[in-house]
Amino acid sequence: MDTVLVTGGTGYIGSHTCVELLNNGYHVLVLDNFSNSSFEPIKRVEKITGKKVKFYEGDLRNKELLRKIFKANNINAVIHFAGLKAVGESCAKPLEYYDNNLYGSIALFEIMNEFNTKKIIFSSSATVYGNNPLPYGEEMPYGIISNPYGRTKCMIEQILGDLSKSCSSWHTIILRYFNPIGAHQSGMIGEEPQGIPNNLMPYILKVAVGDFPELKVFGDDYETPDGTCIRDYIHVVDLAKGHIIALKSLLNSNNQGKNSEGINIYNLGTGKGYSVLELIKTFEKVSKIKIKYSITQRRDGDLPICFANVSKIERELGWKAKYNIEAMCEDSWRWIKNNPRGYKNV
Ligand code: NAD
Ligand code: UDP
């Protein structure tokens, strides 16, 4: 069976993807520097699947370590999650973001070139669509991007495009995630933000377990039915399964759907949007917990509405999100109910 290197595999999306990889019979190697995670998710992934992960602690920017990993293992493909992801922090610390995300990716691609492992899936984001018309389709040009985090995603996409143009043996799939929420149905792995969460669902969860008194809803005067922003939430397990489908096509070197730069780009969303207030109401319904909130001013840079056109991945790879918004809320709730302190209470 094929061996897959998962960078950032102890993180939120990485850990869920490791479960799906192991359940599909792949050998899984994980590289993570724990800058936003710990070893505990690996233990839980192994418990859920009954299978072993080979783990390397270290930084993507450490080329000697990357060489060691590639030398010791016959790696068939890489799924590249590792990166810093907080939009606000990226505005405050742009160099850290360019160094970690951009330089880290370049180091990885160099070593992949050296060892002739040229199959990669890269975690990109809906943020690259910026101010394009809705729904966002993969053929659209980059939009106006207002922060260094989003710019690192565009730049890495472009680097991968240049690599593919330079050498036809590179096979790249870029997955643009919309808003992943939810957790594995076992309630054993989930999202564990450090400090005060930036994103909506982790904040709702903190209010649900009593860590914060209320949620601040950033603006209710948008041009949407209830005035709050609309996002395309996708269950993290659906997202993880999307990686397996993409990996299978990559390993078969199925070139269908490549753009002019020789790379495949797919949106991972549901194609449906829910407002902030709708998400709160659904969470309250499934958890039977009241989420106290107040309306505050808009957050800088927020788009009123964001949702995907998901027809390309369905047509070309046969992937479609399965879980609805209730399931996303139920599974988020189960995770936090079982682990109110995240992975820290062990
Ligand atoms: P996460 O922070 O939970 O996981 C990222 C992992 O990468 C962490 O475990 C962190 O310790 C590790 N890491 C970071 N820099 C590293 C380095 N230099 N060397 C080794 N390990 C490093 O984030 P996530 O939510 O799982 O996101 C995974 C990827 O998906 C990221 O690239 C992110 O930008 C992208 N993405 C996430 C979302 C989202 O809403 N979660 C949306 C769009 C795109
Ligand atoms: N949001 C909010 N309060 C919060 C966090 C987020 O009202 O504490 C809103 C935010 O303004 C946006 C939506 O929830 O309209 C989703 O935000 P998130 O940061 O989760 O995703 P993104 O905006 O990056 O797509």
Side-chain angles (χ1 to χ4, degrees):
M1 202 58 193
D2 290 300
T3 298
V4 182
L5 172 64
V6 182
T7 74
T10 63
Y12 173 46
I13 304 171
S15 55
H16 287 82
T17 304
C18 284
V19 168
E20 299 303 321
L21 286 167
L22 292 165
N23 283 343
N24 278 274
Y26 293 100
H27 294 301
V28 176
L29 313 176
V30 165
L31 168 67
D32 205 298
N33 66 358
F34 298 141
S35 58
N36 196 35
S37 59
S38 64
F39 188 67
E40 183 62 22
I42 295 290
K43 289 196 205 153
R44 301 209 184 172
V45 164
E46 291 182 336
K47 209 161 182 188
I48 292 168
T49 59
K51 295 187 177 152
K52 286 271 163 216
V53 169
K54 192 164 173 186
F55 182 75
Y56 292 89
E57 180 177 353
D59 198 292
L60 203 55
R61 292 162 290 186
N62 180 346
K63 284 202 223 169
E64 272 323 300
L65 172 63
L66 287 176
R67 265 192 203 102
K68 194 180 118 195
I69 297 171
F70 276 83
K71 213 175 262 169
N73 301 281
N74 188 8
I75 298 172
N76 303 94
V78 176
I79 305 184
H80 178 28
F81 293 107
L84 301 174
K85 63 166 183 177
V87 170
E89 187 186 55
S90 79
C91 297
K93 301 175 179 169
L95 291 178
E96 227 173 87
Y97 272 67
Y98 287 115
D99 183 44
N100 194 77
N101 295 5
L102 257 193
Y103 178 65
S105 298
I106 293 170
L108 172 68
F109 305 155
E110 274 178 11
I111 303 304
M112 288 176 69
N113 242 339
E114 223 172 279
F115 285 82
N116 206 26
T117 301
K118 295 178 178 168
K119 297 193 175 196
I120 185 162
I121 296 175
F122 172 61
S123 302
S124 189
S125 163
T127 194
V128 304
Y129 291 114
N131 54 334
N132 270 292
L134 291 158
Y136 295 143
E138 294 88 343
E139 72 295 345
M140 289 177 173
Y142 292 130
I144 296 170
I145 295 156
S146 59
N147 60 79
Y149 165 72
R151 277 192 272 278
T152 66
K153 291 295 177 197
C154 285
M155 289 175 191
I156 299 165
E157 286 197 2
Q158 287 170 307
I159 292 169
L160 285 167
D162 289 338
L163 262 178
S164 284
K165 269 195 275 183
S166 74
C167 166
S168 62
S169 51
W170 270 92
H171 292 281
T172 299
I173 293 185
I174 287 171
L175 297 177
R176 291 179 178 161
Y177 311 152
F178 280 69
N179 288 61
I181 59 171
H184 191 261
Q185 286 78 5
S186 64
M188 289 172 65
I189 56 171
E191 183 169 18
E192 188 193 39
Q194 315 285 323
I196 300 171
N198 300 301
N199 300 111
L200 181 58
M201 180 55 92
Y203 209 105
I204 291 177
L205 297 180
K206 290 275 185 195
V207 175
V209 295
D211 283 357
F212 295 127
E214 65 165 18
L215 169 77
K216 296 202 179 341
V217 173
F218 300 142
D220 68 348
D221 54 355
Y222 286 95
E223 278 190 33
T224 59
D226 66 19
T228 64
C229 293
I230 291 177
R231 294 289 181 272
D232 183 342
Y233 296 99
I234 171 169
H235 198 297
V236 67
V237 172
D238 270 330
L239 194 81
K241 289 180 193 288
H243 289 72
I244 306 302
I245 306 255
L247 180 67
K248 285 182 179 155
S249 120
L250 193 69
L251 291 168
N252 291 334
S253 292
N254 177 350
N255 292 344
Q256 194 190 3
K258 276 193 176 190
N259 68 10
S260 57
E261 310 213 300
I263 53 180
N264 297 70
I265 303 180
Y266 297 107
N267 287 337
L268 284 180
T270 63
K272 288 192 209 76
Y274 290 90
S275 74
V276 174
L277 295 182
E278 284 174 322
L279 190 69
I280 296 171
K281 282 201 191 92
T282 310
F283 185 85
E284 288 182 334
K285 191 177 85 192
V286 306
S287 67
K288 302 191 174 51
I289 301 252
K290 187 100 198 105
I291 300 299
K292 197 170 169 239
Y293 67 86
S294 62
I295 309 290
T296 60
Q297 65 199 41
R298 292 179 175 198
R299 181 172 71 177
D300 271 356
D302 268 346
L303 291 168
I305 309 180
C306 169
F307 64 96
N309 178 341
V310 286
S311 58
K312 184 176 179 222
I313 191 161
E314 187 176 358
R315 191 175 60 243
E316 292 181 5
L317 302 184
W319 176 91
K320 195 172 188 281
K322 199 169 93 187
Y323 298 107
N324 62 19
I325 197 80
E326 279 83 11
M328 297 179 214
C329 289
E330 254 167 49
D331 293 334
S332 289
W333 172 231
R334 187 179 307 106
W335 153 248
I336 206 70
K337 203 169 42 169
N338 291 356
N339 307 271
R341 303 274 81 76
Y343 293 112
K344 290 185 192 73
N345 48 351
V346 285

